[in-house]
Amino acid sequence: MDKMKLEDLRKALDRRELSAVELTAYYLDRIAQHDRELNAFITVLRAEALQMAAAADRRIAAQENVTALTGIPVAIKDNIYTEGIRTTCASRLLANYYPSYDATVVSRLKQAGAVLIGKTNLDEFAMGSATQYSYYGVTRNPWDRNRSAGGSSGGSAVAVAAGMAPLALGSDTGGSIRQPAAFCGVWGLKPTYGRVSRYGLVPYAPSFDQIGPLAASGRDLLLLFQTIAGYDPLDPTSLPDPLNLDGDLSASIRGLRVGLPREFFGTGLDAGIKERVLAAAKVLGAAGCELVELSLPSVAYAAPTYHLLAYAEASASMARYGGVRYGSRAGAGRGNVEMMTTTRHGLGLEVKRRILLGTYFLSADCYEEYYRQAQKVKAWMIRDFAAAYRRCDLLLTPTTAAPAFRFGDEAKEERALALTEQYTVAANLTGNPALSFPCGRINQLPVGAQLIGPAGTEALLIRVATVYAESATEGGFPGETVPETGEQIEG
Ligand code: GLN
């Protein structure tokens, strides 16, 4: 069943050949079998999921408000609020934190009748690229357990890749949905900034943070995206409707101009990945797209600009964890300063590093030299991309510079990781939507390609990638699109 498409599951549920309780029990079994090793979940919602599934079955029986997701299990990254359900952000500080309300995306899933199956692992407060800075242990890649799943939404990517959930939500501040999706061979979308409500998403760098879907196919991804997207008065940065969400995924892509930006194909990129992404470009060319080579010079500065701005925002976001209002408190009874200091020692090293650097970047002495300069580069990057969109409709790039790295090889892989950030953060700095989709494999390891487009083009990105995925499957070239997860994790 983990290889079944959502539309087939939907049909089986609607025809009552399969109940939502059976479907949920199936995924709970997969989790029980595989998650001890993979560690994709921080919390598995066994009882709650079965209850929600039973409610979905009643809804289906009564044919009341049945949506595309009624009775379908969804895994939720553990930095997204779930009412009465532990939400840890992979931090020791929030080990016993139970939010009193749902994030808007979670209420939308509940309204749609989806089943929340568990809360997935991440780097503490989503600060990282390997799901290794988690108080709850590292997440492993189902294609090779000695390799990283990527991050920070590593748990969500692994849940889908290993068939422990058909759908998952992640968050993406600088690539945290797309990079793990690429490492694990699944689809992941970072929506246009403001397209999906951030209400109830624990902030890391609020001007970049977006919640987005992960799934095993473009169609599944679109269904989850359609469920969570749309205006929300509770998020002041939410974009107004109307949305252009209806992706007729079978519509022709003939005549579309696909840009290949030079800065994404230069030195440091793995030769196999380059070959596969260019092969995908050829497939799109054969489908009638015009391939346009172009340059985006601002991208060379993307990673440092992102880190500076993200850490500055993080230092503000993290100010709330002082033992007063949220999470665990340490050093109580020894005065406020002592209490706050001791409590903050409960944060992991990486989080502390970012708070300290962010505070430094915002200090009076550095503000002009660092923060203001970074804001200028960001403005330049927005203009640079806008100019590119006059020459092409969307951009095709690799998602990562190398496949998933082996644990312990972080130092060796540092250059590839830095380059990957250069590839992914541009979409966060410009607010553009970006999609990572599977693009073949190298030595069994998945390769991800990325499509970036102007604001509001999510459905178009998914449509274009689906054309590639379908032609690739039919032609058996250049690579399989959906991993044979069952076989992989048995091996
Ligand atoms: N790897 C990036 C970082 O460490 C992105 C993280 C994210 O998108 N949440 O900041």
Side-chain angles (χ1 to χ4, degrees), residues 383-426:
R383 288 195 304 274
D384 202 16
F385 274 71
Y389 296 137
R390 286 193 282 277
R391 296 190 51 207
C392 66
D393 298 295
L394 42 88
L395 301 158
L396 174 67
T397 76
T399 308
T400 68
F405 58 85
R406 214 180 273 283
F407 292 119
D409 279 358
E410 286 87 345
K412 210 172 92 191
E413 299 285 342
E414 211 163 311
R415 194 174 145 71
L417 279 172
L419 202 52
T420 294
E421 284 196 332
Q422 178 177 314
Y423 295 168
T424 54
V425 300

Side-chain angles (χ1 to χ4, degrees), residues 77 125-129 151-152 171-177 204 209 306-307 310-311 350 354 421 425 428:
K77 187 173 179 180
F125 289 102
M127 298 179 189
S129 315
S152 64
S171 69
D172 191 314
T173 304
S176 275
I177 290 175
Y204 158 19
D209 299 338
Y306 161 78
H307 279 280
Y311 295 8
E350 180 63 17
R354 294 186 187 209
E421 284 196 332
V425 300
N428 304 84

Side-chain angles (χ1 to χ4, degrees), residues 166-447:
L167 298 172
L169 290 184
S171 69
D172 191 314
T173 304
S176 275
I177 290 175
R178 291 160 285 155
Q179 183 254 28
F183 278 7
C184 296
V186 301
W187 296 59
L189 174 72
K190 196 287 287 182
T192 308
Y193 185 75
R195 183 53 83 218
V196 174
S197 170
R198 287 184 298 110
Y199 182 72
L201 169 67
V202 178
Y204 158 19
S207 79
F208 303 136
D209 299 338
Q210 268 293 285
I211 294 174
L214 293 103
S217 78
R219 280 171 210 282
D220 295 3
L221 195 76
L222 185 65
L223 285 173
L224 181 52
F225 175 62
Q226 285 166 331
T227 307
I228 59 171
Y231 177 68
D232 178 14
L234 297 173
D235 172 359
T237 58
S238 179
L239 289 173
D241 292 335
L243 310 177
N244 174 21
L245 296 182
D246 72 314
D248 172 6
L249 294 185
S250 51
S252 165
I253 60 166
R254 187 161 292 280
L256 271 183
R257 297 164 306 166
V258 176
L260 299 169
R262 201 166 302 140
E263 289 74 12
F264 289 78
F265 292 92
T267 40
L269 171 62
D270 178 282
I273 294 187
K274 183 171 177 176
E275 181 201 286
R276 276 160 188 75
V277 177
L278 292 177
K282 262 195 192 154
V283 171
L284 297 181
C289 294
E290 183 193 334
L291 304 178
V292 185
E293 278 188 42
L294 45 82
S295 172
L296 284 162
S298 64
V299 166
Y301 304 91
T305 304
Y306 161 78
H307 279 280
L308 205 151
L309 295 175
Y311 295 8
E313 290 188 25
S315 71
S317 301
M318 297 302 293
R320 72 194 70 190
Y321 303 103
V324 179
R325 294 170 62 188
Y326 289 96
S328 46
R329 171 180 300 175
R334 283 186 265 144
N336 284 348
V337 173
E338 179 77 15
M339 177 192 80
M340 286 184 200
T341 314
T342 318
T343 299
R344 288 164 82 81
H345 279 311
L347 292 167
L349 274 181
E350 180 63 17
V351 173
K352 283 193 224 168
R353 189 181 74 85
R354 294 186 187 209
I355 295 173
L356 288 171
L357 281 168
T359 309
Y360 173 71
F361 295 145
L362 287 174
S363 63
D365 285 351
C366 303
Y367 185 83
E368 283 296 323
E369 212 176 321
Y370 292 104
Y371 188 77
R372 289 254 306 169
Q373 290 298 328
Q375 288 291 2
K376 284 184 196 162
V377 177
K378 177 179 145 173
W380 170 33
M381 192 168 290
I382 292 170
R383 288 195 304 274
D384 202 16
F385 274 71
Y389 296 137
R390 286 193 282 277
R391 296 190 51 207
C392 66
D393 298 295
L394 42 88
L395 301 158
L396 174 67
T397 76
T399 308
T400 68
F405 58 85
R406 214 180 273 283
F407 292 119
D409 279 358
E410 286 87 345
K412 210 172 92 191
E413 299 285 342
E414 211 163 311
R415 194 174 145 71
L417 279 172
L419 202 52
T420 294
E421 284 196 332
Q422 178 177 314
Y423 295 168
T424 54
V425 300
N428 304 84
L429 287 161
T430 58
N432 289 169
L435 165 74
S436 180
F437 61 98
C439 191
R441 287 186 232 157
I442 301 174
N443 300 330
Q444 284 308 307
L445 295 176
V447 171

